[in-house]
Amino acid sequence: MPITIIKGTIVSAPALGELEITENGYLVSEDGIITGVFPALPERYAGAEVEDCGDALILQSFADLHLHAPQYPMLGMGMDLPLLDWLNAYTFPTEARFADPDYAREVYRRLARELIEGGTTRVCMFSSLHREATLILMEELERAGVTGYVGKVNMDRNGLPPVLQEETEESKRETLLWLDQCRDFRHIKPILTPRFTPSCTDGLLDFLGKLAAERGLPVQSHLSENTGEIAWVKELHPDCGQYWETYAKYGLWNGRTLMAHCVWSDGRERAAMREAGVTVVHCPDSNQNICSGVAPVRAMLKEGLKVALGSDIAGGDHLNMFDVTAAAIRASKARRILDDWGTDFLTVAEGWYLGTSAGAAFFGERPGFAPGNPLHALVLEDRDLPRPHPMTPQERLERCVYRRQKNALRAVWSAGRKVYSAEL
Amino acid sequence: MPITIIKGTIVSAPALGELEITENGYLVSEDGIITGVFPALPERYAGAEVEDCGDALILQSFADLHLHAPQYPMLGMGMDLPLLDWLNAYTFPTEARFADPDYAREVYRRLARELIEGGTTRVCMFSSLHREATLILMEELERAGVTGYVGKVNMDRNGLPPVLQEETEESKRETLLWLDQCRDFRHIKPILTPRFTPSCTDGLLDFLGKLAAERGLPVQSHLSENTGEIAWVKELHPDCGQYWETYAKYGLWNGRTLMAHCVWSDGRERAAMREAGVTVVHCPDSNQNICSGVAPVRAMLKEGLKVALGSDIAGGDHLNMFDVTAAAIRASKARRILDDWGTDFLTVAEGWYLGTSAGAAFFGERPGFAPGNPLHALVLEDRDLPRPHPMTPQERLERCVYRRQKNALRAVWSAGRKVYSAEL
């Protein structure tokens, strides 16, 4: 893949709330790495093949930084149940089925395809505790063209033995074996994944923290999702003043850490995130579906925290990140109402930044279609939607967050490779 | 259309929160009127043709009791703007275009089709103030198979003259002429539609109230959507203690009245609705998108009010009532959070009732597939979705509210007529 040139209405998110627009522009990559967005094709590319997308929107593809792959089969189910009943009736039995590699293969192939067909090309994903199924998940993502991190889940207490709990030594051993076995993936890498503090003994957290440091591995987990969970963590770790300290104590709290939810993180916990460079993964659908609360995203952004978006299937009911972006905007409006109109809501451009550039930052990318970034892009058609007046590219993008024509997605590139084309 | 027999997994909503399930059942209508749901085909229908839908779900179709037809072209647009800016930048200019009959024809044909393809067969709809475009809207709905009420909007003050305001006498004259001209529609009937109190002079409201009484016409309008509006109404009608009294004073407040939103209706206003038999149309998407607030639907239901659902496009961004049902459930969870977990959320079965039976009640139907109701039904396929375990029909319906396979809708009947078939 030497040179890729995509021509169309290019819209990217170079900063929170900003959209950079190049109409009839050229998005160019060489060997999968973006060299620039150009209003006219530079001389040096003369003669190279141009993929002309006409008037279609050329956008950054999405980064979904928190989702549970084995919950994919139960997407949209059990949404009336309280968290614990939901876990017992749906989540744990569903996750337990991933002991079966054939089942894992079938489900994960489908999930990987649906991600790409929704324009999500970067993920940070929870698998289950099953090593083999985790490797299958990584294979299927790699095959479909999804990039990012996948974690074999660690949980050696408070699970549902025997189906969803490991012995501590088994958990360590399986983790090391998994890390050995997933070395050859090119686009999918391992991330250490203690399910959350109540699921892991101190010994296991300690092991994972040391492993992260030794091997330079990133970490993902859950933080302050609901008030009952916070009280439980307090009981389990009376030495820790706040939930986040249970991760920090074991070396699981740094610039390569993702923490999902953070609905109830107060000023002190948020300051600890900012200082360590931890990324908050906001999961608006999930927080509302299971009545966790409404995360103070606006406050976090104002304080300079890193915030990205997660679909959090299957607490969330939308895998499609256009929908998750709209949900984040809507949640910020609920937050505004909760705050008695004292806080702003997220604009569409801000929501768009969170779903694209902010998530991509966890993978070391610069915001927008910056030169040096791997090419992650999608082509979106909206010509079948009515235009009540001559619409700007910004208006077209804004509308596509809420409303898309059938078969809107025309093509997707992931790490330089074209991984989806509607013509195929 | 003498006899229609549809066989499949029949699920209906006979009461708030209840689902009635007949697996391998027969839904039968004669001359468009339901005769019953039967676990086995009664002898008298032996030999009649059966439309066998296999395992597919056979459900009541939706009733969308509040939406603005001329805002359809701007669906999903301008959602970052405050209400007044949004009205001026998007709503009024878009509505003004319906002075052009050709434009109206094109847009309304498309809207009617999208309603049917989403399984919405009953509506109460705002048109614009244009008489001709309103008649075109009624024609296109009738042609597509949508049933229900359409209102030519009345607004003779506080509009944007000249494009969106009538003279009082003109408004009266055009309304009478419109009523004459729409007599021949079979499935689409007129509903009187003062836009809302601030848009109508006392003289016009008085005229409309008398007209409603004389001709036995239903009425639709807006009530207590946001706090600024309530203050404005108070200023305009210092003699009225509460907003609703401005309608009651002119005879626009009875059992055939629909009031959209009611986000801020307090106990007294809600009691007035219950006593008069007014139906509240809850529009969850719109209320959140334009930061109106979160309506206390749970309290209204507990108090015995009639509550139905509206998409309220284009304040709402979803025309599809599956999505609106999910939005109502999500909004009730936001309300629960707002109420410090002091109120329940709507279950999926409750949300489903609001979107189907509760709306159908405005048209005189009994809840569910009751004998005597006109046949309004849809067939929904979900075999392409994974089943993590053997699923009950209730679970299948619940999931379909949140997640549907591509081309899930297979067929739609409206007032006895088959108006959509995926095979066509």
Side-chain angles (χ1 to χ4, degrees), chain B residues 36-286:
Chain B
V37 171
F38 306 99
L41 195 62
E43 192 61 42
R44 68 181 185 276
Y45 298 121
E49 198 186 335
V50 173
E51 176 139 356
D52 190 343
C53 303
D55 189 30
L57 295 167
I58 300 172
L59 308 169
Q60 296 163 261
S61 58
F62 292 107
D64 184 349
L65 259 50
H66 183 68
L67 70 165
H68 294 267
Q71 295 176 23
Y72 178 60
M74 48 172 279
L75 189 54
M77 293 177 69
M79 304 272 76
D80 285 351
L81 296 177
L83 181 59
L84 279 183
D85 293 347
W86 179 73
L87 287 171
N88 289 322
Y90 287 92
T91 314
F92 292 149
T94 304
E95 287 203 24
R97 291 193 62 184
F98 289 80
D100 172 0
D102 292 338
Y103 186 69
R105 178 77 63 191
E106 181 197 330
V107 170
Y108 289 153
R109 183 162 297 184
R110 190 175 168 139
L111 169 61
R113 197 174 57 227
E114 190 170 336
L115 283 165
I116 289 295
E117 288 174 3
T120 299
T121 61
R122 309 170 197 83
V123 296
C124 289
M125 204 182 256
F126 278 51
S127 174
S128 57
L129 53 73
H130 310 96
R131 177 174 46 82
E132 193 174 352
T134 304
L135 291 164
I136 290 168
L137 172 58
M138 296 172 92
E139 270 173 41
E140 291 300 330
L141 292 173
E142 178 107 359
R143 181 204 306 269
V146 182
T147 71
Y149 295 113
V150 165
K152 174 216 165 321
V153 167
N154 296 101
M155 43 196 301
D156 68 341
R157 67 168 171 179
N158 293 317
L160 275 185
V163 287
L164 275 187
Q165 187 173 305
E166 312 160 298
E167 297 299 319
T168 306
E169 290 312 311
E170 178 195 10
S171 184
K172 294 179 185 175
R173 197 174 55 239
E174 287 291 294
T175 301
L176 292 171
L177 195 51
W178 163 62
L179 289 174
D180 280 348
Q181 291 175 327
C182 71
R183 280 184 193 186
D184 293 338
F185 294 113
R186 187 153 166 233
H187 295 289
I188 292 287
K189 300 289 173 190
I191 183 167
L192 295 181
T193 307
R195 188 170 195 125
F196 69 148
T197 296
S199 300
C200 299
T201 59
D202 294 5
L204 186 55
L205 289 176
D206 185 54
F207 166 82
L208 292 172
K210 287 184 175 134
L211 192 59
E214 271 166 28
R215 305 209 185 178
L217 291 168
V219 172
Q220 62 182 352
S221 196
H222 297 90
L223 181 68
S224 297
E225 181 172 0
N226 73 53
T227 49
E229 170 204 13
I230 293 172
W232 192 16
V233 170
K234 184 99 195 154
E235 220 171 84
L236 295 167
H237 289 266
D239 57 316
C240 291
Q242 290 200 303
Y243 191 165
W244 67 275
E245 295 173 49
T246 64
Y247 296 119
K249 182 172 153 185
Y250 295 109
L252 298 161
W253 190 258
N254 57 53
R256 300 194 66 205
T257 301
L258 286 181
M259 284 289 154
H261 304 304
C262 308
V263 174
W264 295 97
S265 297
D266 64 7
R268 190 170 153 245
E269 189 160 274
R270 296 202 300 260
M273 291 192 257
R274 190 186 54 241
E275 279 154 31
V278 166
T279 298
V280 174
V281 191
H282 175 45
C283 306
D285 274 323
S286 166

Side-chain angles (χ1 to χ4, degrees), chain A residues 75 79-80 90 97 110 114 288-289 291 317 330 333 341 345 347-348 384 388 395 399 402-403, chain B residues 75 79-80 90 97 110 114 288-289 291 317 330 333 341 345 347-348 384 388 395 402-403:
Chain A
L75 189 55
M79 304 270 78
D80 285 351
Y90 287 92
R97 291 194 61 185
R110 189 174 169 139
E114 190 170 334
Q288 202 158 346
N289 284 336
C291 286
D317 57 301
R330 236 190 290 277
K333 291 175 177 177
W341 280 259
F345 55 79
T347 64
V348 179
D384 286 352
E395 278 181 304
R399 177 164 68 179
Y402 290 102
R403 172 170 169 79
Chain B
L75 189 54
M79 304 272 76
D80 285 351
Y90 287 92
R97 291 193 62 184
R110 190 175 168 139
E114 190 170 336
Q288 202 157 347
N289 284 336
C291 285
D317 57 302
R330 238 189 290 276
K333 291 174 177 178
W341 279 260
F345 54 79
T347 63
V348 179
D384 286 352
E395 278 182 303
Y402 290 102
R403 173 171 170 78

Side-chain angles (χ1 to χ4, degrees), chain A residues 31-65:
Chain A
D31 295 324
I33 303 298
I34 292 172
T35 58
V37 170
F38 306 99
L41 195 63
E43 194 62 40
R44 67 181 185 278
Y45 299 120
E49 196 185 336
V50 173
E51 177 139 355
D52 191 341
C53 303
D55 189 30
L57 295 166
I58 299 172
L59 308 169
Q60 296 164 260
S61 58
F62 292 107
D64 182 350
L65 259 52

Side-chain angles (χ1 to χ4, degrees), chain B residues 284-358:
Chain B
D285 274 323
S286 166
N287 294 341
Q288 202 157 347
N289 284 336
I290 54 183
C291 285
S292 301
V294 186
V297 172
R298 170 57 61 192
M300 291 174 177
L301 291 170
K302 199 173 277 180
E303 292 162 8
L305 270 69
K306 298 190 259 181
V307 180
L309 297 185
S311 65
D312 192 26
I313 66 159
D317 57 302
H318 293 113
L319 185 64
N320 185 296
M321 289 292 288
F322 285 101
D323 294 329
V324 173
T325 302
I329 295 164
R330 238 189 290 276
S332 76
K333 291 174 177 178
R335 184 74 228 179
R336 179 168 159 79
I337 295 165
L338 265 162
D339 292 343
D340 212 9
W341 279 260
T343 46
D344 287 340
F345 54 79
L346 293 173
T347 63
V348 179
E350 288 170 341
W352 186 256
Y353 178 85
L354 298 185
T356 56
S357 297

